[in-house]
């Protein structure tokens, strides 16, 4: 399950400045962060093909929304960097509040029965944090495709006086152009459009729909 979520398809999200402001007001870094929960365990009924061309049925999928894409040169992390990451995860994960009770016995050490179990989180809760942080630090490169977006979502605010024009501008955004030039999808990168309505902003949804119909 972890591998399926870590290497799931990615969707690049590019939004207008108005949406960015609305996200920050709600303590969100970007629209991609807002959409993140909706990409987990999505129920579906699709059939895909494996590397040998055999059909494979999926009843649920995971997708990850990202706000940026760029090819980066991969480098081997130093031992010091790995040690620092482990220490930060251990110090943040090994607490009495979030550790499994069976892991700590009166503060005296490790429960050998818990350590012998197959449940890693029972005896090393820090590893879950380390594993997730390691995946989060992975970047797209030329020799792999998991970190490359399969689609791009362009989003504008419903309060935008000319949403169609704004969407066209987003289609030429440097992030989108970079994805079209560097990703495996290339010029065939699928573009999707979305209008976001903020209840705190004066928005006439009917007028927005009318502009798109035109």
């Amino acid at each position: 399950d972890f591998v399926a979520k870590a290497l799931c398809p990615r969707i690049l999200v590019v939004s207008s400045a108005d949406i960015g402001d609305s996200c920050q007001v709600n303590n969100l870094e970007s629209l991609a962060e807002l959409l993140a929960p909706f990409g987990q365990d999505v129920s579906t009924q699709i059939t895909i093909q494996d590397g040998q061309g055999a059909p494979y049925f999926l009843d649920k999928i995971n997708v990850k929304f990202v706000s940026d894409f760029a090819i980066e040169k991969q480098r081997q992390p130093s031992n010091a960097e790995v040690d620092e990451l482990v220490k930060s995860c251990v110090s943040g994960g090994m607490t009495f509040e979030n550790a499994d009770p069976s892991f700590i016995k009166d503060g005296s050490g490790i429960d050998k029965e818990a350590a012998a179990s197959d449940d890693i989180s029972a005896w090393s809760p820090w590893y879950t944090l380390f594993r997730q942080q390691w995946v989060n630090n992975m970047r797209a490169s030329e020799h792999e495709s998991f970190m490359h977006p399969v689609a791009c979502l362009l989003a504008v605010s419903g309060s935008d006086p000319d949403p169609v024009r704004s969407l066209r501008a987003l289609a030429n955004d440097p992030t989108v152009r970079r994805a079209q030039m560097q990703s495996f999808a290339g010029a065939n990168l699928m573009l999707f459009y979305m209008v976001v309505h903020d209840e705190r902003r004066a928005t006439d949804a009917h007028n927005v729909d009318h502009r798109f119909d035109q």
Side-chain angles (χ1 to χ4, degrees), residues 56-203:
Y56 186 81
F57 178 77
L58 291 177
D59 57 356
K60 69 176 182 179
I61 61 172
N62 296 283
V63 295
K64 185 174 182 178
F65 297 95
V66 297
S67 56
D68 194 16
F69 170 79
I71 295 292
E72 298 184 12
K73 184 178 180 179
Q74 299 297 306
R75 67 178 184 86
Q76 184 73 21
S78 64
N79 292 337
E81 290 175 322
V82 176
D83 289 343
E84 186 62 29
L85 179 58
V86 172
K87 290 178 182 178
S88 64
C89 292
V90 171
S91 61
M94 285 302 298
T95 62
F96 286 92
E97 288 77 13
N98 58 17
D100 191 291
S102 63
F103 178 75
I104 301 175
K105 278 191 171 182
D106 302 327
S108 60
I110 299 176
D111 186 338
K112 293 183 178 180
E113 294 182 0
S117 69
D118 294 331
D119 184 9
I120 295 178
S121 61
W123 54 269
S124 59
W126 64 269
Y127 177 73
T128 302
L129 299 175
F130 172 80
R131 182 179 61 178
Q132 186 60 52
Q133 189 60 42
W134 184 273
V135 171
N136 291 342
N137 290 339
M138 295 173 62
R139 295 294 182 264
S141 62
E142 294 180 350
H143 68 275
E144 58 81 34
S145 60
F146 291 111
M147 301 298 166
H148 291 232
V150 298
C152 179
L153 176 64
L154 307 179
V156 296
S157 173
S159 61
D160 193 313
D162 194 347
V164 177
R165 181 178 180 180
S166 297
L167 286 172
R168 290 173 178 170
L170 288 178
N172 293 314
D173 186 88
T175 302
V176 179
R177 301 296 297 173
R178 185 166 57 248
Q180 292 174 330
M181 295 177 61
Q182 298 181 357
S183 69
F184 275 96
N188 295 322
L189 183 70
M190 296 182 292
L191 299 180
F192 295 90
Y193 308 94
M194 180 172 68
V195 177
V196 179
H197 299 283
D198 190 338
E199 293 184 353
R200 296 175 303 177
R201 294 174 178 265
T203 303

